[in-house]
Amino acid sequence: MTARPVSPGPGATVWAPEPVTADPYNAQTPAAALSEPVTPANALFVRDHFGIPQTTSRRWRLRLGGAAAAPFDIGHDELAAMEHRELDVVLECAGNGRALMKPRPPGLPWDQRAVGCARFAGVPFRSLAARARIDPAAVEIVFTGADSGTVHGQPTAFERSLPLAVALHPDTLLATRMNGEPLAPEHGAPVRLIVPGRYAVADVKWLVEAWAVTEPFTGVFQAEEYVYIASEGIPEGPVTTVRVKSLITEPEPDTALGRGREVRVRGRAWSGGGVPVRRVEVRAAYEGDEGPGTGAGPAEDDWHDAVLEPPAGPYGWTGWSYRWLPPHPGPYRLLSRATDEHGDTQPPRAPWNAHGYGCNPVASVDVVVV
Ligand SMILES: Nc1nc2c(c(=O)[nH]1)N[C@H]1C(S)=C(S)[C@@H](COP(=O)(O)O)O[C@H]1N2
Ligand SMILES: [Mo]
């Protein structure tokens, strides 16, 4: 089922993310909103492990400390007055696409819409870190959210760490605004961390503490959850850089297309680590007599280059389009495959892992030509 925007009046579109679970609240971006270059705040997917904590800008304080010579805390007004940077950033849950993995790993059954691209304005964390005079022996910064719950019978806050060099990167932001507005409560108000190019689990919402540590952090969300575990059950480290990926936004699945009438296939592509998308290819595989996946029908069956729009900065996504003339009636599978500047390409099948992270196979939409 595709959620449709409802237009209450000129210029205003009210979106609603599609709920996946009610408590804690988890919801995915409606398909129609993925056509927007910047995902509206009220359409962007939400991933919460616990409840949404009630914090106000007036009461909020961020404490910087741990292995630091000059720990201090800062209020919202002071932070908001500091110099901000604005970046378009793709937010993608590491579990995005899990529902498509076979066998399906445990976890929230996201299909491919735990993703969006928003414009974040924030203060580089390094501007504050300098003031705290972090100990030269520090190896990581642990970021703590105001939300907490019970994990393994223990009261547990949402906490994630970053290697010092990543935390101090000029693009790692303490974001106060998204899409030109103060952050919405479900997206981390009043201040969240934004680590462009990494899976969004790094982007700690409702941020209240940042503390330097001299040993690698081993919290639940660092060492147990959000780690790649291959079939042998051996952890291969935390999820980090977003893998290259594309999605098809048009046509919608199961659309009936007129034979001989040109179709515009559109979508978005992105990669992690600030690496731009170099190429997107599209293929129209005939799924008729020869059986699904063979693409052996009478249709053109090669990969063709899509036209790329200018990317929305190093961490944003790239719109793409491809003109396709459906040659014969019958069922088709439209496929898209992105390649980034490092030469990384979407694989034909998702690399399976026990928690279902980093799922980035070639995107597909089934249509029928009549
Ligand atoms: N404090 C806190 N921060 C958090 C989470 C959380 O549950 N608590 N979830 C993380 C995960 S797994 C994701 S994918 C992103 C989702 O951000 P969004 O809800 O704004 O889309 O927030 C991250 N930051
Ligand atoms: Mo996530």
Side-chain angles (χ1 to χ4, degrees), residues 67-69 133-139 164 214:
R133 301 207 348 252
I134 289 169
D135 193 307
V139 293
L164 196 59
T214 53

Side-chain angles (χ1 to χ4, degrees), residues 190-271:
V191 178
R192 82 181 297 176
L193 188 67
I194 288 292
V195 193
R198 291 206 159 206
Y199 281 116
V201 64
D203 304 331
V204 177
K205 303 194 274 189
W206 315 294
L207 187 68
V208 287
E209 248 179 67
W211 40 290
V213 290
T214 53
E215 296 291 333
F217 178 63
T218 57
V220 178
F221 299 104
Q222 192 73 26
E224 274 180 54
E225 302 286 328
Y226 298 96
V227 291
Y228 289 115
I229 299 173
S231 43
E232 298 79 26
I234 302 156
E236 292 160 26
V239 300
T240 54
T241 311
V242 170
R243 292 176 174 169
V244 65
K245 194 152 165 179
S246 64
L247 57 79
I248 298 171
T249 55
E250 264 179 70
E252 286 181 26
D254 303 322
T255 305
L257 302 167
R259 170 188 183 178
R261 202 176 302 153
E262 193 181 81
V263 177
R264 193 65 86 97
V265 185
R266 289 181 207 272
R268 310 227 161 256
W270 62 94
S271 192

Side-chain angles (χ1 to χ4, degrees), residues 44-50 91-94 144-147 158 186-188 192 200-206 226:
L44 183 67
F45 79 97
V46 179
R47 175 67 178 111
D48 292 345
H49 292 78
F50 307 119
L91 240 59
E92 182 179 17
C93 182
T144 307
D147 52 333
F158 187 85
E186 67 274 26
H187 294 300
R192 82 181 297 176
V201 64
D203 304 331
V204 177
K205 303 194 274 189
W206 315 294
Y226 298 96

Side-chain angles (χ1 to χ4, degrees), residues 14 16 25 29 48 53 61 82 98 105 144 155 159 175 184 202 211 225-226 236 248 251 271 286 290 331 340 350 370:
V14 176
Y25 178 54
T29 309
D48 292 345
R61 296 199 76 77
M82 291 176 70
R98 178 184 289 129
T144 307
E159 292 181 304
W211 40 290
E225 302 286 328
Y226 298 96
E236 292 160 26
I248 298 171
S271 192
Y286 183 70
E290 274 76 10
D340 70 18
V370 292

Side-chain angles (χ1 to χ4, degrees), residues 12 31-32 101 123 146 163 181 198 203 219 233 247-248 273 295 304 317 345 369:
M101 279 189 174
V123 176
E181 303 278 345
R198 291 206 159 206
D203 304 331
L247 57 79
I248 298 171
H304 297 274
W317 57 17
T345 300
V369 175

Side-chain angles (χ1 to χ4, degrees), residues 24-348:
Y25 178 54
N26 287 289
Q28 60 184 347
T29 309
L34 294 170
S35 301
E36 305 284 327
V38 172
T39 312
N42 53 11
L44 183 67
F45 79 97
V46 179
R47 175 67 178 111
D48 292 345
H49 292 78
F50 307 119
I52 297 174
Q54 301 300 314
T55 336
T56 62
S57 303
R58 201 168 47 79
R59 279 187 301 153
W60 179 87
R61 296 199 76 77
L62 173 68
R63 176 94 192 143
L64 265 87
F72 68 98
D73 59 44
I74 185 171
H76 187 263
D77 288 354
E78 194 187 340
L79 186 74
M82 291 176 70
E83 194 176 331
H84 280 52
R85 274 172 93 81
E86 197 170 58
L87 294 168
D88 281 12
V89 178
V90 168
L91 240 59
E92 182 179 17
C93 182
N96 190 30
R98 178 184 289 129
L100 309 180
M101 279 189 174
K102 289 190 182 87
R104 187 199 284 185
L108 288 180
W110 302 114
D111 58 32
Q112 288 291 10
R113 289 187 280 115
V115 67
C117 181
R119 187 160 295 164
F120 289 99
V123 176
F125 174 72
R126 64 184 293 154
S127 310
L128 295 187
R131 191 163 138 193
R133 301 207 348 252
I134 289 169
D135 193 307
V139 293
E140 291 184 350
I141 306 287
V142 181
F143 295 92
T144 307
D147 52 333
S148 63
T150 306
V151 180
H152 305 321
Q154 299 291 323
T156 307
F158 187 85
E159 292 181 304
R160 286 275 303 181
S161 71
L162 289 176
L164 196 59
V166 178
L168 297 180
H169 190 285
D171 294 335
T172 297
L173 303 179
L174 304 174
T176 63
R177 300 176 76 79
M178 179 171 122
N179 299 350
E181 303 278 345
L183 286 180
E186 67 274 26
H187 294 300
V191 178
R192 82 181 297 176
L193 188 67
I194 288 292
V195 193
R198 291 206 159 206
Y199 281 116
V201 64
D203 304 331
V204 177
K205 303 194 274 189
W206 315 294
L207 187 68
V208 287
E209 248 179 67
W211 40 290
V213 290
T214 53
E215 296 291 333
F217 178 63
T218 57
V220 178
F221 299 104
Q222 192 73 26
E224 274 180 54
E225 302 286 328
Y226 298 96
V227 291
Y228 289 115
I229 299 173
S231 43
E232 298 79 26
I234 302 156
E236 292 160 26
V239 300
T240 54
T241 311
V242 170
R243 292 176 174 169
V244 65
K245 194 152 165 179
S246 64
L247 57 79
I248 298 171
T249 55
E250 264 179 70
E252 286 181 26
D254 303 322
T255 305
L257 302 167
R259 170 188 183 178
R261 202 176 302 153
E262 193 181 81
V263 177
R264 193 65 86 97
V265 185
R266 289 181 207 272
R268 310 227 161 256
W270 62 94
S271 192
V275 179
V277 168
R278 178 208 291 167
R279 185 178 195 190
V280 176
E281 297 156 285
V282 175
R283 180 181 157 205
Y286 183 70
E287 297 284 296
D289 303 326
E290 274 76 10
T294 63
E300 44 149 335
D301 188 29
D302 295 331
W303 289 99
H304 297 274
D305 278 308
V307 176
L308 305 189
E309 290 167 17
Y315 309 109
W317 57 17
T318 301
W320 55 264
S321 66
Y322 172 70
R323 291 165 186 270
W324 178 51
L325 195 63
H328 299 279
Y332 285 82
R333 177 160 290 180
L334 298 171
L335 303 146
S336 73
R337 176 171 79 182
T339 302
D340 70 18
E341 285 290 352
H342 280 172
D344 289 339
T345 300
Q346 291 181 261

